[in-house]
Amino acid sequence: MALTSQIKTIAVIGAGQMGSGIAQVAAQAGFQVIICDNRSEGLNKAVQGIEKSLAKLFEKGKIDEHPPAILGRIKKTTQLSDLVSADFIIEAIHENEALKKEIFSQLDKIMPAHVTFASNTSSLPITRLASATLRPQQFIGMHFMNPVPIMGLVEIIRGHSTSNETYEITKLLSEKMGKVTVCSQDYPGFIVNRILMPMINEAFYTLMEGIANAEDIDAGMKLGTNQPMGPLTLADFIGLDTCYAIMKVLHDGLGDSKYRPCPLLKKYVDAGHFGKKTGQGVYKY
Ligand code: CAA
């Protein structure tokens, strides 16, 4: 297995909001980065987003290196076969277990034995994803928070067979990317979503039961508990489809009715109102 000093190239699979953020912070940390997505327009959009974010950070003096130099370390590809030179893989596609397993199974066949596989999944079991490969010791959860360039945390999830060495390498890599890590065992929702999502779900019950309107629920929690955004605004920002999917994982995986997804949250999802990304959620954008 590669030591962190031997890790030169990081491959990121998925060029959405999370994948592009991870590619950005990896390049900022000095790694060569290959970002892979089967949609070339998605790759172009990701690079434009990274360019904008780097310009903002540079303007504020939050990074010293000139953005074009950082961007120069990021290569794009639509082919998994182009990732063979990478030393560490971070998968950040949408939460589709079958597709994630298919990608990891393909990579397992083509990637050299020393390469570690990490998934940015926010709720799928790491142990189950690892079972798609013949390297479960070198498989780990590496859960970044959104927006990746700003948020200070990586939640590391140890699967059933994850080795200590894989954990140590992932922790050091996360720290090189400027993040603090916390370690979670592989149970539904890990740490952050196990605690965050029931709060968001409860905010939807509070709204559904007519206890208060959305603005008051958000202002109450934002100003009353010193959170940067209220829970309904945060849900729109994360994506109501994602929040609903995570609540289902908690409900199914823990079997306790206290995790039942709020019917109002489901109604928004049924309507296709996923939040900021679709222009409509609890609020209009
Ligand atoms: N790149 C560079 N800079 C960025 C940026 C990006 N991608 N996104 C935001 N910023 C900067 C802004 O320029 C701004 O900088 P200044 O304060 O220096 O002006 C700063 O971040 C704040 O942004 P805004 O003024 O636009 O908006 P804001 O004050 O509402 O802050 C926020 C935005 C940082 C997202 C803040 O609202 C926040 O921390 N919200 C909570 C986010 C959160 O909880 N994320 C975790 C979600 S849970 C998760 O991710 C796990 C999961 O699995 C679901």
Side-chain angles (χ1 to χ4, degrees), residues 129-182:
L129 295 178
S131 72
T133 74
L134 295 175
R135 60 181 92 197
Q137 309 83 347
Q138 281 160 249
F139 200 106
I140 197 155
M142 194 178 186
H143 183 209
F144 289 81
M145 304 294 131
N146 185 20
V148 179
I150 301 295
M151 302 295 285
L153 182 76
V154 170
E155 182 177 41
I156 298 179
I157 303 101
R158 299 187 66 145
H160 184 69
S161 307
T162 307
S163 69
N164 288 339
E165 199 182 356
T166 298
Y167 169 69
E168 291 301 335
I169 285 173
T170 308
K171 183 170 156 62
L172 283 171
L173 265 192
S174 308
E175 287 167 359
K176 276 196 176 175
M177 293 186 210
K179 308 300 182 192
V180 170
T181 66
V182 292

Side-chain angles (χ1 to χ4, degrees), residues 53 56 60 122 143 145-146 150-151 193 196 228-229 238:
S53 173
K56 226 191 242 181
K60 287 186 196 146
S122 54
H143 183 209
M145 304 294 131
N146 185 20
I150 301 295
M151 302 295 285
N193 283 327
L196 174 66
M229 345 169 117
I238 292 167

